[in-house]
Structure formats: structure tokens, C-alpha cells
């Protein structure tokens, strides 16, 4: 989905509920939907206390400006650890307690996870230097300066989102490569923040009237999975060990990148990818900006689950963290939610997190644990606890 609003403005529209709300993804979906998570963020009132890129409340921290990256369990652990403070503040502000089902919890965490892939602004002076050093100036013009072989780049002031750049560089890469070869121009590569700085310079130097850039909102992971196969990316690349083995596995956590880093990596690796596609008879796919956003959302949705937890460690943690001071496990005559084996629906990590979130307001409330007794957990411990709860044989 695209629009002519800036990122902050678009987030504000979503979070404040101007757009008609949609439901979360179907129960059977194997992956979470960050786009629907943005709806949950607004509908459940998170936006009243938290902002995303400056759009939203100021009571809690801006969730797009916290250090990252974070996995699903990093975020889940952070939610749990801050619940006593959040519960107190919500009571003070008379904010109703939000209830999350499994779909909503998964989508919400996916939305919060997407903040990992947005960049800080680049530096125009550094980009101006790169525009000359990388020989962009030979073919492209910005602000009346440069060649006319390629298109004038002034338009990027209005349409220069990282996703748009990634799609344009991929689609026009073969043509640009031929033009550079014909003129004896070495093909440049981009490292670190270089592409970010270059985009910042192009936007700053453009004489066009200032308008907000076109922004592609967090894509739809399920659609990205379909496109990954349809565009034949899976012929060469694996995702979490499934797919082709010619190129790198794109869901490896070490390969996590921001959107601009993703665009730079696609440009840098384009010659090798194009050669591999030609040798295998794979047509070079064209990608719209929204399609690129969907594919990136799919890759992030796959990789944000850390390694599976250990149920045995989770059982020990349930005792060490004091869970069994209030709960039993398969006890005779036990009743849900007191007996953990009688809590229904704990069939996915998102369902476990939703159950812990909903129940935690009881523990964090006025009749809950004494001050200082709230058991905080690390991300790995949260994964182990989730694995333990999912492993329990459900009592009738």
C-alpha cells in the first residue's frame, strides 16, 4: 500500500483509527502480519501512551527509537517486564485494560518488529561527495548538475522511500550496468550508510517544491511469501533452510538489514544474481514498491522468531521464577487459569504471549504480587517458558 503522506503522518492515520479497521490474520496463518499489527496498536490504545516515529502518545517511550534489532521473544520479554509499570500508569490515566487474542498479539509484535528496518536520516554533505565519487553525476542530474544519460533524479525528493529505491535500483539495474560498461565507468557498490547519505543529498539538492515522500507501509508477510515463490526468488535463495541453496539464506539473523541496507545489498549483489538467473533460464522479475515491501515483510516475519525454546529449561524456570507459587500443573481438581495444563489455546508462541499478557494484569494489579516480586525474564527464558507451556498435555 502506498500513499503521498510522510511516514509519521501515515502512522498517525493508522494508529488513530481514521482508516477503517480490519481484522487480524486468520487463525491458521503461519506468520504474523505487521500491517494488521499497526491496526491493533491503535485499536487497543497502545498509541495513547506510545509513539512510533513521533506519531502517538508521549507517556511511554517512542517504540521506533529504541535500540534494536529485537526478536519476537525480545519484544515479548520486554512487554512482560514492563507490565507492572504499565498497569500502574494505565490505572492512573484510566486507560482500559486491553485484551489480546493470539492473532492480535502476533500481529502487534510483528508491527513493533518492523521498527528495526527503518533508518535514521542520511547526511547530505557526505552524499554530495559520494554522488561524484561513485560517478552517479556522469549519467544522472540533480538540481541542474550532472549528465542526462539516465533519468533526472530530482523526483526522488517526492518518491525516495527506501522501498521505492530498492525496487527502482533492481528494475533498472541491468540497463544501468550496460550504460556504465559502454562508458567505461566502474560499477559502484554501497557500504554502510553510503546509500542513505546519497539519497539524503539527492532530496536536499532537488529544486522541486517540498512534498512528503511516497512511503510504503509495512508489507503483508503472507503476500510476500507468495511473491517470493512467484518471482522465483526461492529458486536460488533459501528462507530458514527451505528453498534454493545457490544464494544465501535470506532469513538468517546475521543478514538482518534496514530497508536502505537491503536496497544496497540488492544493488551490490545484482551482477552475481543476474548471472545466476541467466545460467538457470530464470527471467529477471520486475518488482513494484509494494511487492518489494511484501517480500521484505515476509523475510522479517520468518527471521524474527529466535531459536526454539527448551521445554525442560522452561519447566525449571516456571519453578525458579515463582510461577508455581500461584499455578499448578495437571493437579487433581485444578481449575483454569490456576492449573496451567487446563489453559486452552496455548498452541503457538503468539498464543502463549497473549495468555501471559492478559493474565499478567491480574498479577500486576492491586491484588497481585507484592512490590519487588515481579519476576522479570530475558528473551531466551521467555522462549523456554513458551516452549514449556506449549508442551503441556492439555487436561480435559
Amino acid at each position: 500500500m502506498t500513499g503521498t503522506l510522510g511516514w509519521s503522518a501515515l502512522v498517525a492515520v493508522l494508529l488513530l483509527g481514521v482508516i477503517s479497521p480490519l481484522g487480524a490474520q486468520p487463525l491458521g496463518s503461519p506468520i504474523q502480519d505487521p500491517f494488521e499489527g499497526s491496526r491493533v496498536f491503535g485499536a487497543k490504545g497502545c498509541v495513547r501512551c506510545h509513539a512510533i516515529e513521533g506519531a502517538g502518545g508521549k507517556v511511554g517511550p517512542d517504540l521506533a527509537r529504541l535500540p534494536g534489532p529485537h526478536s519476537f521473544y525480545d519484544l515479548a520479554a520486554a512487554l512482560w517486564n514492563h507490565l507492572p509499570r504499565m498497569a500502574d500508569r494505565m490505572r492512573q490515566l484510566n486507560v482500559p485494560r486491553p485484551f489480546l487474542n493470539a492473532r492480535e498479539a502476533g500481529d502487534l509484535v510483528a508491527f513493533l518488529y518492523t521498527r528495526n528496518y527503518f533508518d535514521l536520516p542520511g547526511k547530505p554533505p557526505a552524499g554530495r561527495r559520494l554522488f561524484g565519487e561513485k560517478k552517479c553525476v556522469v549519467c544522472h542530474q540533480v538540481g541542474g548538475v550532472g549528465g542526462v544519460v539516465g533519468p533526472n533524479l530530482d523526483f526522488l525528493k517526492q518518491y525516495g522511500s527506501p522501498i521505492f529505491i530498492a525496487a527502482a535500483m533492481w528494475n533498472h539495474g541491468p540497463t544501468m550496468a550496460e550504460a556504465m560498461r559502454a562508458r567505461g565507468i566502474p560499477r559502484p557498490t554501497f557500504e554502510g550508510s553510503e546509500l542513505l547519505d546519497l539519497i539524503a543529498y539527492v532530496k536536499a539538492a532537488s529544486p522541486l517544491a517540498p512534498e512528503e515522500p511516497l512511503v510504503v507501509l509495512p508489507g503483508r508477510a503472507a503476500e510476500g511469501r507468495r511473491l517470493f515463490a512467484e518471482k522465483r526468488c526461492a529458486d536460488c535463495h533459501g528462507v530458514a533452510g527451505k528453498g534454493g541453496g545457490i544464494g544465501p539464506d535470506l532469513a538468517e539473523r546475521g543478514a538482518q538489514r534496514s530497508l536502505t541496507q537491503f536496497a544496497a545489498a540488492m544493488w551490490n549483489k545484482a551482477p552475481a544474481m543476474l548471472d545466476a538467473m541467466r545460467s538457470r533460464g530464470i527471467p529477471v522479475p520486475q518488482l513494484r514498491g509494494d511487492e518489494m515491501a511484501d517480500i521484505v515483510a515476509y523475510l522479517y516475519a520468518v527471521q524474527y522468531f529466535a531459536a526454539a525454546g527448551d521445554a525442560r529449561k522452561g519447566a525449571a524456570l516456571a519453578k525458579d521464577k515463582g510461577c508455581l507459587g500461584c499455578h499448578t500443573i495437571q493437579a487433581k481438581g485444578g481449575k483454569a487459569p490456576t492449573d496451567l495444563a487446563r489453559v486452552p489455546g496455548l498452541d503457538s508462541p503468539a498464543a502463549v504471549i497473549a495468555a501471559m499478557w492478559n493474565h499478567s494484569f491480574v498479577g500486576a494489579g492491586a491484588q497481585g504480587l507484592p512490590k519487588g516480586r515481579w519476576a522479570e525474564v530475558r528473551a531466551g527464558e521467555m522462549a523456554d517458558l513458551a516452549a514449556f507451556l506449549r508442551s503441556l498435555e492439555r487436561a480435559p
Side-chain angles (χ1 to χ4, degrees):
M1 176 177 288
T2 59
T4 55
L5 294 171
W7 168 243
S8 294
L10 271 170
V11 171
V13 169
L14 274 177
L15 303 191
L16 298 178
V18 177
I19 298 177
S20 300
L22 299 176
Q25 90 277 10
L27 271 171
S29 175
I31 51 181
Q32 280 64 54
D33 190 333
F35 189 91
E36 299 303 340
S38 68
R39 311 249 189 218
V40 175
F41 191 85
K44 297 296 182 178
C46 311
V47 69
R48 294 182 61 178
C49 294
H50 293 283
I52 301 288
E53 287 289 340
K58 309 300 180 186
V59 177
D62 187 317
L63 298 180
R65 295 174 182 172
L66 297 177
H70 294 289
S71 72
F72 178 90
Y73 291 113
D74 284 314
L75 292 167
L79 283 172
W80 173 265
N81 294 339
H82 288 86
L83 264 168
R85 278 169 284 180
M86 285 194 286
D88 286 343
R89 195 66 173 132
M90 290 169 71
R91 280 193 294 271
Q92 294 169 11
L93 298 173
N94 198 30
V95 175
R97 175 174 72 92
F99 177 88
L100 296 174
N101 61 34
R103 294 172 296 173
E104 292 166 339
D107 290 345
L108 178 61
V109 174
F111 171 61
L112 296 178
Y113 185 78
T114 63
R115 67 183 174 78
N116 293 331
Y117 61 60
F118 288 96
D119 296 286
L120 296 173
K123 300 174 181 177
R128 182 178 185 276
R129 174 180 55 79
L130 289 166
F131 194 73
E133 289 181 358
K134 302 287 187 180
K135 305 298 183 184
C136 309
V137 69
V138 174
C139 297
H140 295 285
Q141 191 172 107
V142 176
V145 176
V148 294
V149 176
N152 187 307
L153 299 182
D154 287 341
F155 74 99
L156 288 179
K157 185 165 189 174
Q158 296 164 315
Y159 304 111
S161 75
I163 281 288
F164 180 90
I165 297 294
M169 290 176 73
W170 172 257
N171 293 336
H172 299 291
T175 302
M176 287 192 283
E178 288 299 327
M180 286 185 284
R181 262 195 298 270
R183 287 162 180 78
I185 300 173
R187 191 178 189 281
T189 57
F190 299 100
E191 306 297 334
S193 65
E194 288 181 337
L195 183 57
L196 196 63
D197 293 336
L198 190 60
I199 294 171
Y201 162 66
V202 170
K203 290 182 178 181
S206 170
L208 295 182
E211 294 183 28
E212 289 287 354
L214 180 74
V215 177
V216 179
L217 289 170
R220 297 179 181 273
E223 179 65 10
R225 179 174 58 177
R226 184 188 68 78
L227 287 166
F228 195 80
E230 181 183 284
K231 301 291 185 178
R232 300 188 65 178
C233 309
D235 284 22
C236 296
H237 292 284
V239 176
K242 297 179 180 179
I246 297 175
D249 189 307
L250 297 182
E252 291 178 357
R253 293 190 56 78
Q256 184 169 301
R257 298 180 172 96
S258 71
L259 291 186
T260 307
Q261 290 170 333
F262 186 86
M266 286 193 70
W267 170 264
N268 293 341
K269 299 179 186 299
M273 287 194 285
L274 294 172
D275 286 344
M277 285 187 283
R278 277 192 292 267
S279 69
R280 296 169 65 87
I282 299 173
V284 178
Q286 296 289 289
L287 295 169
R288 300 190 311 269
D290 60 323
E291 292 176 330
M292 183 71 79
D294 291 338
I295 290 172
V296 173
Y298 164 54
L299 298 177
Y300 269 74
V302 171
Q303 70 179 327
Y304 84 156
F305 282 104
D310 186 319
R312 289 177 297 180
K313 291 182 180 178
L317 282 166
K319 179 179 179 181
D320 294 343
K321 297 290 183 179
C323 307
L324 301 186
C326 297
H327 296 283
T328 58
I329 300 175
Q330 297 175 333
K332 186 175 181 180
K335 296 181 180 180
T338 300
D339 193 319
L340 295 176
R342 294 178 180 269
V343 179
L346 301 183
D347 53 358
S348 71
V352 171
I353 299 309
M356 293 177 73
W357 167 268
N358 295 330
H359 175 64
S360 62
F361 276 86
V362 177
Q367 298 178 352
L369 295 172
K371 187 177 181 181
R373 291 278 305 281
W374 189 261
E376 295 194 352
V377 296
R378 298 188 298 273
E381 292 174 331
M382 181 63 79
D384 292 338
L385 284 168
F388 165 62
L389 292 173
R390 293 175 67 197
S391 73
L392 294 175
E393 183 177 346
R394 296 292 131 196

